[in-house]
Amino acid sequence: MSAIAGIYHSNNAPVTRDHYSIIMDNLAQFPANDIQCWNKNNAFLGCLSQWITPESIGEQLPFYDSERNVAITADAIIDNREELFTLLQVETGLRKTIPDSQLILLSYYKWEEDCPKYIIGDFAFMIWDERKQKLFGARDFSGTRTLYYYQDKKHFAFCTTIEALLNLPYIQKQLNEDWLSEFLAISSVVDTVNTSITPYTTIEQVPPAHSISVEGNRVKIKQYCTLLADSKLNLKSDNEYVEAFQEVFQKSVNSRLRTHHQVGAHLSGGLDSGSVVGFAARSLKNENKLLHTFSYIPVKDFKDYTPKRLLPDERPFIKETVNYIGGIKDHYLDFDGKDSYSEINEYLDILEMPYKFFENSFWIKGMFETANKKGIGVLLNGGRGNFTISWGHALNYYAILLKKMKWLKLYKELNQYSQNAGGARLRRIPVLAKVAFPKINKMSSSVTNNHFPRLINEDFAKRKDAFNKINKYGLDETGWFGTNDIFEQRKRHFEDIFHWHATNTLAAKLSLRYSLWKRDSTNDLRVIRFCLSVPEEQYVQNGMDRALIRRSTKNLLPDKVRLNQRIRGVQGADWVHRMTPIWDEFINDIKLMANDEKLLTFVDGEIIKQSIEKVAREPRPEYATDPNYRLLMRSLIVSKFIKRFA
């Protein structure tokens, strides 16, 4: 991860060193291999470079092409280099050394503002076209890099971070209540449905899958990428689907191994991360490289309270994977002494905004910190796998068979599924009926998701029209999906661009802080489009859910992991337990928060008071998913953020 910045004066006034130094001095807090600036007349570009790929070592960024009078600054790793080499007719002798920023620039020369359509990878870049007096840039399709900007009649400024922009003398720091209203109205980890706004009224951002063009004082934002497949793949046999998947996924994994540092990966006991590790380790063995894996485990004194089907400590499955694959150096991290509450302020510093994923916050950051100490340049993960490589919900697919009255196939599938997952096949018929005929059974979304009561203050919600805004994106007044149809949810997941925005923002900012790139092979455009084109019967068959990935990892993952349909890992189950030593401090803090008049204009004070009454004086680890505990933590995070505007 690198950090990019720039200033453009539409009135042709020169950009002074005093102003661009403010931005670059702020970025200097992050580790860097190089910091460079380019300044000419009314335009400035800057880059804090972290050399991750072999081609990035010594790379000149910003780069100015004196023949075409075009400059670029980029925070990018491009994954379809071979394809671009062919399309752009790059000389064979240059292909091993040409940096990714040069490929982006060549793409701009060929396709101009359409160039982001041809680029696959994690990127944010800005190009200054001096002859046209125009800035053009883009952000990758899922927002794995950040790109914030400010605009008024005279100035346009952009940067990877918000703080660097807020330090400029002409930019004010003001709380954006529109952003906050969406954040409070939505109950999932999604921050806002409007991905162009930020918690600061003066700062906007380029949404994922969008480009930005700035000419004079006119800013144009345009979506360049959509994800839904146009048609279904039609291959001749099950084996052909497996072979096709293996080819596209191996290509995705291999393109993310490109670093001159060590390669690491998150590893749980499940299929997604296990598949990434299996495909990656196989390729690294050919280069005589070890793959470092990092796995979260609960602290030693944690007593497991979860049902038998859940597993907070996944080491039995993780070690099975490690031993079977080979070529792995495994690390098990319990982060003893760390907890979600004590790291709130540091997380607000890192993210520059409130967040909702506090249960895992201490170990997500800890993974980056540990990987950095181990010399890791790329940290692989399989975060989007549930919607791509390991898609396949058995009961939902069986509900389709029930609706289509395919009784024989349904009976056979239920029989095999019961053998694989346990339990009597007939007991699942009522569940299938509810899924297949939701209007009859009137399943409410508030029942199917374990979310806390509405947090937003009712008057604030009405004033900001919060629920009408999120309703337009398919979220109901619980702040969750308005449909229980898992297939519709998947479709919306890829149609809407906000679902992964918050978590990708976190990954980008942790990557910058710890000088390594988090890279998700299950989030590759090629993989997503392939998986969306695969017929549903390939994902559920012979009593197996997630059937395509299970078949595709035969002889790559151990059967204990590959065929497991009975036990599911659950991470962060010990977050309440970890707060035992500082519980009194936490309780005192939330009581003070409950009387914060500023906060109570935004959140529902009665709901907070009710939650305080329900939370025991002593921490109850088994209440880790209790809505009251979660509501209080989220409220406290928002409270601490709002105080930063005092």
Side-chain angles (χ1 to χ4, degrees), residues 529-553:
R529 285 174 172 152
F530 175 86
C531 290
L532 289 174
S533 73
V534 172
E536 201 64 38
E537 57 265 23
Q538 287 296 318
Y539 288 116
V540 180
Q541 58 179 238
N542 301 321
M544 282 196 303
D545 60 8
R546 305 202 270 177
L548 181 59
I549 191 65
R550 295 187 195 276
R551 288 154 36 221
S552 299
T553 52

Side-chain angles (χ1 to χ4, degrees), residues 378-390:
V378 166
L379 187 62
L380 303 173
N381 83 314
R384 207 165 195 168
N386 284 340
F387 289 93
T388 56
I389 68 168
S390 65

Side-chain angles (χ1 to χ4, degrees), residues 77-92:
I77 293 184
I78 306 305
D79 294 324
N80 64 329
R81 284 170 62 89
E82 295 299 325
E83 179 187 8
L84 290 175
F85 290 155
T86 302
L87 292 172
L88 299 170
Q89 298 181 323
V90 176
E91 295 179 22
T92 303

Side-chain angles (χ1 to χ4, degrees), residues 610-640:
Q610 290 172 19
S611 293
I612 292 175
E613 291 176 2
K614 293 176 182 177
V615 169
R617 293 298 302 173
E618 298 295 328
R620 300 280 296 275
E622 66 273 21
Y623 284 11
T625 59
D626 184 280
N628 297 293
Y629 281 73
R630 298 169 68 214
L631 181 141
L632 292 174
M633 279 292 291
R634 286 194 184 183
S635 301
L636 191 58
I637 291 166
V638 170
S639 173
K640 289 180 181 295

Side-chain angles (χ1 to χ4, degrees), residues 78 84 170 325 384 389 409 485 517 571:
I78 306 305
L84 290 175
Y170 47 81
I325 294 172
R384 207 165 195 168
I389 68 168
K409 186 174 182 179
D485 185 335
W517 284 59
Q571 298 169 340

